[in-house]
Amino acid sequence: MSPEFEWRVLGVVHAIPAGRVSSYGRVAELAGFPRHARHVGRLLANAEGVPWQRVVTAGGRIARAGTEAADWQRLLLEHEGIVFEESGRIDLVRYGWP
């Protein structure tokens, strides 16, 4: 990944307010790299000091459900006030950003 990609994606992720979420694809699009959702996921998997928990799948779900990282992400999002549906999905109309 290029430094420009990293810088722009991390800038978008930092802009997501607490209590809101965005999808990997939307972050890529806002950063100027449409169709690079998987690259966003790879970058966030190793990013430190970034509110990575605010990025979810396009369907409003936490990626890699059932892992410790997914459980931690859910806990962080709940702490920010995000309510999960019984199915484990986040209502993107209510909590989506931008």
Side-chain angles (χ1 to χ4, degrees):
M1 287 175 259
S2 74
E4 181 181 358
F5 174 83
E6 293 180 15
W7 181 80
R8 290 170 71 179
V9 166
L10 295 178
V12 171
V13 174
H14 275 292
I16 303 170
R20 303 296 293 271
V21 296
S22 195
S23 71
Y24 294 99
R26 185 71 174 132
V27 168
E29 181 181 309
L30 290 169
F33 295 91
R35 302 179 54 91
H36 284 76
R38 289 184 187 199
H39 291 94
V40 171
R42 284 189 206 118
L43 175 62
L44 294 180
N46 298 311
E48 293 182 21
V50 178
W52 59 271
Q53 75 273 12
R54 297 180 188 149
V55 184
V56 297
T57 68
R61 297 187 182 280
I62 291 176
R64 300 187 339 191
T67 64
E68 284 185 42
D71 294 343
W72 180 239
Q73 184 176 9
R74 182 177 177 135
L75 184 67
L76 290 171
L77 290 172
E78 288 175 336
H79 182 70
E80 292 185 7
I82 292 178
V83 177
F84 286 77
E85 296 175 355
E86 201 170 303
S87 66
R89 187 181 165 279
I90 297 168
D91 181 352
L92 294 179
V93 172
R94 181 174 180 189
Y95 297 106
W97 179 89

